[in-house]
Amino acid sequence: MNQKVEFEVEEEEEERSRIPISERPEWADVRPLPQDDGPNPVVPIAYSDEFSETMDFFRAVYLADERSARALELTQEAIFLNSGNYTVWQFRRLILEALSVDLREELEFIDQIAKNNTKNYQIWHHRRWVAEKLGSNVASNELQFTGEIFSQDAKNYHAWSHRQWVLQTLGGWDDELAYCDELLQNDIFNNSAWNQRYFVVTKSPRLGGLEVTRDSEVAYAIKAILTKPENESPWRYLRGLYKNDVNSIANDPRVASVCVDVLTNEKECAHALNMVLDLLCNHYQPSIELKNAIDALSDNSDLELAKKVCSVLQLVDPMRANYWEWRKTTVPARD
Amino acid sequence: MEEEDPAANKINRLTLAYCVISGLDILHALDRVDKESVINWVLSLQAHPKNEGTLENGQFYGFHGSRSSQFQSNDSGASTPNGSHLASTYCALAILKSVGYDLSRIDAELLLKSMKNLQQPNGCFMPIHTGGETDLRFVFCAAAICSMFKNWSGMDWEKAKEYIISCQSYDGGFGLIPGSESHGGATYCAVASLKLMGFIDEDALSKNARCHCINVPLLLEWGLQKQAVDGGSQGRSNKPTDTCYAFWIEGVLRILRADKFINKKALRESLLTCQSKYCGFSKFPRLLPDIYHSYYGFCAFSLLKEPALNSLSVELGLTDVAAIGLQSFGL
């Protein structure tokens, strides 16, 4: 209780301690420019006095193209009030260049505001601009920064985009596959980590490309499937390793084998049945084990195997029953 | 739009206005809107070059998102700072069409010619000419703008198509940029753009359909798989469902003529759990509603053919009535 009261008192003190810009001597020579909302504005916004004043002064320095230290400070205040304003960010970049500011300090500034704004496009864009100027020296810093974001939100889309950009532009690939593994050990359902894994095995200059990494990655995916067969991610990843070419998938006996294993043990796995259906529609010749696994799930012994799989899918995946019914109609005729 | 200071969204005032106006349009409630005032306000956000007929090098002459990026020209005669934004331009034109404004009254040539300045060598678009993040959202805005003007001189659509294709992920969905995780919003932008550009056939699911540029069967399965156990739509695999993805994902499937495969009853029930007692929709059940999720909730219900709602032109993000321009104004 006491702590809460203390915190509230602190906040009030902070508000009282802000000196309006119009009362600051260093701004005495500047005439603030008010916003002209025009007649009958739609969705009018109720601005705070602090916000209005800050933007009025910003407008003044922006139109005067004043690229000074005080203007830089003002952009910081404007950003704290609204971190989504393109114009303010763009002008800040012009000032940073004009004043040749040490951009490592700027990175620290971004660290500060990014903490509570991890989904703001403008902040991430600004960070990329700064990192690009600083070059490959900051690669590990950027990887660490995104890693910190992921420790709070392992699927933050902006952070993943930034991380991919860092790897491609500044480097730092060496430990990335291991990092993906670490995230997947924490949460094997993390689709962002699976996507990153695909990014690494296809794009990393260190690993030799998909042709070289495919074999071990298939084993990795299969292990994940056997751990949690209901997890969509490794099934899609597995197909992706073969670039969704069903012929190539069919030629790898491990794929049909994992389907048999899953269907024998889990029985109602839609992803496994889906994989089997795609194989059969591509004229894959099923093993006895696979036929038996399907037969065990189906009452209807008259249907041919692919259509039988569709019927089972309608039962185990009723959300998509209409789709599996349609798939029945597109099963190619038997040779 | 999670409980933010409304001033923080003011750069997106046009976006808010678009959600409101188009939302009212879906609800057959545009008679409550002072259309003339809306038109005047939107037009006042348009960027114009200092000298008519001369395009300042590299600038985009669209619409600003709000007054905060729009500046009155100063007396020194220096060029007016121009912060017009591609997404704001899309919203502005969508609003104007929704209230029945005749877009031929706008100088489309100027807008479109300058819009080409925003297209990158790889086909993608940036949002403002001074630079910004480039991704599929802005490809969609550009395509929708061209479509609304029925004039494709504003973009190199072959290049745009190549960029879109490069965003299709190994799992069939589309990421915002190449290599990114497939995402409902990004996938909508990709598929809607391709549809607007004419690269997706009416019957996209048939074997003979001419949309070989992307992997349609894989996209179809990815989209359908996004309907989760609670009946709602996920934006990405293994993430919670969220009201707005009902529109993005359902919209994609509608464009592919595959919405017949959605479990509509389950989707409807899931959406209703996000309907607030104050009306409108929230992101998740039991949260307060917001304009964004309310708008996309109405869009989703329109696609579900909820009675009393206007039908949607899915790929444009407007009602059919607005898209075709059936309203009259000022007659």
Side-chain angles (χ1 to χ4, degrees), chain A residues 35-48 51 55 58-59 62-64 81-87 90 93 117 119 121-122 125 128 153 155-157 160-161 164 168 188-196 198-199 203 230-234 236-241 243-244 271 274 278 317-324 326-327 330, chain B residues 2 5-11 13-14 16-17 20-21 34 37-38 40-41 44 66-72 74 81-83 85 127-128 130-133 135 137-138 169-172 174-183 186 205 207 215 217-218 220-222 224-231 234 236-239 260-263 266 291:
Chain A
Q35 175 167 307
D36 174 17
D37 249 356
N40 303 315
V42 178
V43 293
I45 308 275
Y47 303 115
S48 69
F51 184 89
M55 288 312 294
F58 172 77
R59 230 165 263 119
Y62 180 65
L63 281 174
L81 291 167
N82 173 19
S83 52
N85 188 317
Y86 277 94
T87 314
Q90 186 248 332
R93 286 190 277 276
N117 275 300
K119 296 187 180 182
Y121 283 98
Q122 284 72 48
H125 177 71
R128 185 183 296 204
D153 174 7
K155 302 181 186 185
N156 183 307
Y157 204 87
W160 280 114
S161 294
Q164 288 191 347
Q168 285 184 299
I188 200 156
F189 291 88
N190 184 340
N191 196 62
S192 305
W194 282 103
N195 182 76
Q196 185 72 351
Y198 194 82
F199 178 78
K203 298 259 196 306
E230 72 276 23
N231 183 356
E232 185 191 351
S233 298
R236 301 233 177 261
Y237 185 76
L238 182 59
R239 285 169 189 263
L241 291 172
K243 294 196 190 272
N244 296 289
H271 298 303
N274 191 357
D278 288 343
D317 188 21
M319 190 65 79
R320 278 157 281 278
N322 292 341
Y323 174 66
W324 301 123
W326 177 74
R327 284 293 300 268
T330 65
Chain B
E2 297 89 338
D5 175 0
N9 279 319
K10 64 170 193 33
I11 197 74
R13 265 173 87 169
L14 256 183
L16 288 174
V20 168
I21 301 282
D34 180 349
S37 288
V38 168
N40 290 336
W41 179 71
S44 75
S66 70
R67 290 279 183 269
S68 67
S69 68
Q70 185 181 35
F71 299 86
Q72 306 306 318
N74 54 30
N82 173 7
H85 188 287
I128 58 176
T130 49
E133 70 281 15
D135 61 54
R137 293 173 297 154
F138 306 119
S169 168
Y170 62 87
D171 64 7
F174 289 76
L176 270 182
I177 59 177
S180 282
E181 187 184 1
S182 47
H183 179 282
L205 299 181
K207 279 195 175 46
N215 188 331
L218 198 63
L220 172 62
E221 286 210 352
W222 177 85
L224 289 173
Q225 199 63 44
K226 296 292 137 303
Q227 187 164 23
V229 290
D230 65 3
Q234 301 166 315
R236 295 183 259 166
S237 300
N238 295 332
K239 285 209 80 179
K260 55 191 170 182
F261 301 139
I262 298 171
N263 184 331
I291 292 174

Side-chain angles (χ1 to χ4, degrees), chain B residues 41-325:
Chain B
W41 179 71
V42 171
L43 291 176
S44 75
L45 290 165
Q46 191 175 6
H48 302 278
K50 187 86 178 165
N51 303 304
E52 288 303 327
T54 61
L55 285 181
E56 274 139 274
N57 222 3
Q59 293 202 31
F60 168 53
Y61 291 97
F63 288 75
H64 296 89
S66 70
R67 290 279 183 269
S68 67
S69 68
Q70 185 181 35
F71 299 86
Q72 306 306 318
S73 56
N74 54 30
D75 298 329
S76 71
S79 62
T80 315
N82 173 7
S84 59
H85 188 287
L86 201 54
S88 306
T89 304
Y90 162 75
C91 290
L93 296 173
I95 291 168
L96 290 173
K97 275 189 84 69
S98 295
V99 296
Y101 184 78
D102 180 2
L103 286 193
S104 66
R105 297 169 67 175
I106 291 179
D107 186 351
E109 286 298 325
L110 171 70
L111 196 157
L112 292 170
K113 194 169 168 191
S114 67
M115 190 169 82
K116 252 190 145 165
N117 290 325
L118 299 177
Q119 191 164 22
Q120 303 300 290
N122 66 1
C124 194
F125 276 79
M126 61 183 180
I128 58 176
H129 65 265
T130 49
E133 70 281 15
T134 64
D135 61 54
L136 271 183
R137 293 173 297 154
F138 306 119
V139 175
F140 168 72
C141 291
I145 290 166
C146 287
S147 178
M148 284 191 270
F149 281 125
K150 299 189 186 13
N151 180 337
W152 292 88
S153 64
M155 62 194 292
D156 178 343
W157 67 2
E158 276 298 329
K159 276 216 154 81
K161 182 185 88 171
E162 292 307 317
Y163 182 80
I164 295 170
I165 291 169
S166 74
C167 290
Q168 187 167 27
S169 168
Y170 62 87
D171 64 7
F174 289 76
L176 270 182
I177 59 177
S180 282
E181 187 184 1
S182 47
H183 179 282
T187 306
Y188 169 84
C189 289
V191 176
S193 300
L194 290 173
K195 179 72 177 177
L196 289 170
M197 291 193 273
F199 292 122
I200 296 186
D201 274 355
E202 265 307 301
D203 183 12
L205 299 181
S206 82
K207 279 195 175 46
N208 301 322
R210 189 185 51 88
C211 35
H212 302 134
C213 55
I214 58 170
N215 188 331
V216 170
L218 198 63
L219 167 62
L220 172 62
E221 286 210 352
W222 177 85
L224 289 173
Q225 199 63 44
K226 296 292 137 303
Q227 187 164 23
V229 290
D230 65 3
S233 285
Q234 301 166 315
R236 295 183 259 166
S237 300
N238 295 332
K239 285 209 80 179
T241 58
D242 174 334
T243 301
C244 62
Y245 292 111
F247 171 70
W248 304 126
I249 299 289
E250 202 188 345
V252 166
L253 294 170
R254 164 67 73 87
I255 291 170
L256 298 177
R257 298 289 180 263
D259 51 321
K260 55 191 170 182
F261 301 139
I262 298 171
N263 184 331
K264 295 190 172 151
K265 182 167 176 290
L267 180 59
R268 196 169 179 281
E269 281 168 8
S270 166
L271 284 169
L272 287 173
T273 66
C274 295
Q275 182 169 230
S276 158
K277 63 181 180 182
Y278 306 110
C279 301
F281 291 89
S282 57
K283 181 182 170 87
F284 300 135
R286 292 179 297 283
L287 291 185
L288 287 173
D290 61 65
I291 292 174
Y292 177 89
H293 288 94
S294 297
Y295 174 62
Y296 288 111
F298 299 141
C299 287
F301 269 99
S302 173
L303 291 183
L304 288 170
K305 297 190 177 33
E306 181 73 12
L309 293 188
N310 255 326
S311 63
L312 275 188
S313 160
V314 183
E315 58 269 22
L316 261 186
L318 299 174
T319 59
D320 278 325
V321 169
I324 298 166

